[in-house]
Amino acid sequence: MNTANKLTMLRVLMIPLFLVVLYLEVPYSQYVGLVIFVFASLTDYVDGYIARHRNQVTDFGKFMDPLADKLLVLAAMMWFVELGQMPAMVVFVVLVREFAVSGMRMVAADQGKVIAAGWSGKVKTASTMVCLCLMFLPIPKEVNTLCWAVILLTTVYSGLEYFIKNAAVFKGTMK
């Protein structure tokens, strides 16, 4: 297993630790959870950099890296739902977008095509990570609402962009 894949697996292993720390509800557990979340999020950037620049891109990494990201983000979002800091509808929209884009990528792959991550998807991921980090802090309710609204809007926008740009996948005539 190469370095990039080891970092991805580290991120996966950090998710249960992240949740256990949050649910312990000991003093400062939310801040410790934030530190774990930030560290895990940074491993996503680092493993991608290493994979591309050291020629360590693998099929395992192509599969596991985005899955690890989704699991980390969804774990944090569901915790915020449980706390009443985020509507469950936001998590539902994020899940629908992820399933839909993944499904579209599978259809494209069946046609021998690859749909690369678009700019809006990268903005969605970055803004989601920043917003979730902010939500761990004692911020005013209005800022919290703005955070989940940003997550919702960037998720919807990037999902629509993927489908509009790649509509030919469903016609079997992708260029």
Side-chain angles (χ1 to χ4, degrees), residues 3-134:
T3 304
N5 289 342
K6 286 178 184 175
L7 286 170
T8 297
M9 289 310 300
L10 175 63
R11 187 163 62 260
V12 169
L13 294 173
M14 291 177 75
I15 296 167
L17 174 64
F18 167 68
L19 289 171
V20 166
V21 164
L22 292 176
Y23 282 100
L24 284 178
E25 295 184 18
V26 295
Y28 307 107
S29 62
Q30 194 162 332
Y31 297 108
V32 175
L34 171 60
V35 169
I36 294 169
F37 183 84
V38 168
F39 182 76
S41 298
L42 290 174
T43 66
D44 179 36
Y45 171 77
V46 174
D47 71 21
Y49 180 86
I50 289 171
R52 286 185 299 277
H53 289 85
R54 293 189 184 167
N55 197 26
Q56 293 185 3
V57 175
T58 64
D59 288 338
F60 176 81
K62 289 178 194 176
F63 168 75
M64 189 54 79
D65 181 66
L67 180 60
D69 300 341
K70 288 168 185 52
L71 292 173
L72 177 64
V73 166
L74 289 170
M77 291 177 78
M78 288 187 290
W79 187 69
F80 287 125
V81 167
E82 191 169 326
L83 290 180
Q85 287 184 241
M86 178 182 284
M89 172 259 323
V90 175
V91 178
F92 178 75
V93 170
V94 169
L95 279 171
V96 167
R97 184 249 186 229
E98 296 304 334
F99 282 129
V101 169
S102 294
M104 181 177 56
R105 285 186 167 143
M106 283 189 274
V107 171
D110 193 47
Q111 297 171 9
K113 308 293 181 186
V114 174
I115 298 176
W119 180 250
S120 67
K122 293 176 189 285
V123 169
K124 175 208 56 106
T125 299
S127 62
T128 296
M129 295 301 200
V130 168
C131 286
L132 290 174
C133 287
L134 287 173

